[in-house]
Amino acid sequence: MPTLTIDGRRVEAPAGTFLLQACRQAGVPVPTLCEHPAVEPYGGCRLCVVDVTRPEWDGWRKMVVSCLYPVEDGLIVDTRSERVVETRKVVLDLLLARSPRTPLIQRLAREHGIEKTSYEPNPDPTDCILCGLCVRICDRLGHSAIGTADRGAGRVVAPPFHEPPAACVGCLACAEICPTGFIRFESGPGGRRIWNRDFEMVRCPRCGRAHITKAQAEWYGKRMGWPPEEFEVCDACKRREMAAATVTLGSGPKGSAAS
Amino acid sequence: MDRIYRVTPQSCIACGKCELACSFAHGSDGRPAQSRIHIFRRGPEAGTPVVCLQCDDAACLAVCPVGALSWNLRTGAIEVSHETCIRCRMCVAACPFGNMHWDEGRHEVAKCDLCGGDPRCVPFCPTGALAWLQPSAAVRPAEPPASGMTGER
């Protein structure tokens, strides 16, 4: 197993893993915004930068994003060097200029000693920090209904052609994973709306609760090889049925009514 | 896995203490709606507790697209890694018994994790309807079929 030095401590890390995990396993905190264990490392937020060097490099060192840098035997990692701290500050300063009203960014910036951005604040503040989690999660689920569109300062997360996405099933995973709550949706008995697409809901045949979209039921059915009708009953009614079945199986007192 | 979680619905008096214990044990403010064990009332002082069966061939575990669910071989529980979970809620739809919950307040799925090997509902159950037993003690002698309830536990 490769052995490396992180902030002066010798740490063993399994080969094939990345510096970020090694740091965290060693109990060294590294801030991140785009990292998630369910998806591949992305290197999008640049907050997890660290300094690395080796004894034979004669004092030369380089700054790398730890989420994408594989562990190596003999590597010396510094997560608190002056330029690492400065780089993280610049990243957060820029993010705060982009998203001045976003509580998560305000908090992280404050933790790094930035109360106010030194750049011109975004005249059109957005909560989207382009961490790409929503896009990667949607890919991971196999829909790829959203992606990033346009470039540079105009880069946004959007469905293809900024139209209601045909591949979306309305599962809301993108909105739930979003660290800043940028992705808005509406969901109620009448239907669900996300990415400007309206979804018809499946109503539980027992209690009438609208719990998933029809597209979700079809997708679940395809994924599990069950007919989509299997997903009609909501979880509360499934529990009630389980309780009733337990009674009819003969474990309940005779004559008691199964509710 | 040296213990077995046993539910005896005949003994349940629907007092709801397990629901309270569960919701407190999992960090909520004791709202039974957030409990992972539910009692369905069959009449006065008679209930059927419904809780995760920790299925051998679990649908929740099979459908999870990111491997956030895994067996804890020490306790015999299927546990959720909230760090890995992406909140797609496929497990909620897949569980045939409705024992995977979506906690709207915390934006997490929730299921019975046997409290890491010390289920908190058990000591609060006044009738022994819920028990956490050695496998040898959990096995009940065979009953004649359709014996109904004869008072034994």
Side-chain angles (χ1 to χ4, degrees):
Chain A
M1 210 185 275
T3 305
L4 47 160
T5 311
I6 298 174
D7 289 352
R9 278 175 50 198
R10 284 171 65 80
V11 175
E12 278 195 344
T17 59
F18 295 95
L19 283 185
L20 179 63
Q21 283 95 40
C23 289
R24 291 201 167 152
Q25 261 153 33
V28 174
V30 177
T32 53
L33 282 169
C34 70
E35 189 265 346
H36 196 282
V39 287
E40 301 268 290
Y42 183 59
C45 72
R46 318 309 278 188
L47 265 183
C48 69
V49 287
V50 294
D51 253 332
V52 297
T53 185
R54 302 183 69 90
E56 64 270 25
W57 287 358
D58 286 335
W60 186 81
R61 58 209 174 112
K62 61 177 176 179
M63 201 154 48
V64 299
V65 277
S66 62
C67 66
L68 284 171
Y69 199 87
V71 295
E72 284 169 17
D73 199 47
L75 204 67
I76 299 164
V77 183
D78 189 352
T79 72
R80 289 178 292 206
S81 74
E82 203 176 311
R83 62 177 191 167
V84 163
V85 172
E86 275 311 307
T87 305
R88 287 183 188 160
K89 272 182 146 173
V90 170
V91 169
L92 284 164
D93 201 353
L94 285 163
L95 275 173
L96 197 58
R98 177 186 169 86
S99 311
R101 293 182 197 162
T102 308
L104 171 71
I105 300 302
Q106 290 172 339
R107 182 173 58 76
L108 260 178
R110 208 174 299 125
E111 281 171 18
H112 287 75
I114 301 166
E115 291 291 332
K116 210 165 166 269
T117 177
S118 61
Y119 299 94
E120 186 71 32
N122 188 356
D124 184 19
T126 171
D127 279 333
C128 178
I129 54 171
L130 292 172
C131 67
L133 270 176
C134 50
V135 174
R136 289 180 289 150
I137 290 296
C138 191
D139 265 352
R140 189 75 168 75
L141 289 170
H143 306 308
S144 305
I146 48 172
T148 50
D150 307 335
R151 291 180 193 190
R155 190 161 172 246
V156 287
V157 170
F161 310 111
H162 301 271
E163 285 170 2
C168 179
V169 297
C171 72
L172 307 183
C174 54
E176 291 292 346
I177 207 85
C178 178
T180 63
F182 168 70
I183 301 173
R184 299 292 155 87
F185 65 89
E186 286 158 38
S187 191
R192 188 176 283 177
R193 186 177 174 81
I194 187 165
W195 298 112
N196 284 325
R197 185 175 156 191
D198 291 303
F199 290 93
E200 211 183 314
M201 302 299 283
V202 172
R203 278 174 176 279
C204 172
R206 311 282 186 277
C207 69
R209 185 160 74 95
H211 56 113
I212 54 172
T213 67
K214 285 210 162 135
Q216 254 178 306
E218 278 162 28
W219 168 49
Y220 292 160
K222 220 181 280 171
R223 209 187 132 84
M224 293 175 221
W226 298 350
E229 299 79 57
E230 290 283 337
F231 305 100
E232 278 179 356
V233 182
C234 75
D235 59 322
C237 290
K238 282 193 280 193
R239 287 195 292 276
R240 192 165 296 119
E241 285 178 359
M242 184 183 164
T246 310
V247 172
T248 43
L249 275 173
S251 45
K254 265 185 188 161
S256 70
S259 60
Chain B
M1 199 177 131
D2 52 359
R3 296 264 190 150
I4 285 176
Y5 185 85
R6 191 180 75 186
V7 181
T8 314
Q10 296 99 311
S11 305
C12 177
I13 55 166
C15 66
K17 284 201 171 72
C18 55
E19 293 174 327
L20 268 177
C22 179
S23 46
F24 274 118
H26 290 93
S28 88
D29 40 6
R31 274 175 291 168
Q34 283 177 326
S35 168
R36 294 137 197 231
I37 182 165
H38 292 264
I39 293 185
F40 288 88
R41 279 150 182 92
R42 288 188 263 117
E45 294 178 12
T48 306
V50 174
V51 65
C52 177
L53 304 171
Q54 322 287 359
C55 311
D56 278 346
D57 186 12
C60 56
L61 199 140
V63 300
C64 181
V66 297
L69 289 149
S70 61
W71 281 104
N72 180 331
L73 294 176
R74 187 178 56 82
T75 61
I78 296 172
E79 296 178 350
V80 187
S81 157
H82 293 296
E83 286 77 47
T84 309
C85 172
I86 59 171
R87 280 94 174 127
C88 69
R89 285 165 271 176
M90 226 185 287
C91 51
V92 178
C95 176
F97 310 111
N99 285 322
M100 184 65 85
H101 314 272
W102 173 248
D103 187 330
E104 192 56 62
R106 294 199 203 183
H107 292 265
E108 293 181 342
V109 292
K111 75 175 289 299
C112 171
D113 56 359
L114 295 172
C115 295
D118 179 23
R120 297 314 297 153
C121 47
V122 169
F124 288 93
C125 179
T127 63
L130 306 175
W132 183 233
L133 303 167
Q134 305 282 354
S136 55
V139 178
R140 261 180 294 179
E143 287 171 30
S147 64
M149 184 154 156
T150 51
E152 96 283 26
R153 278 242 300 268

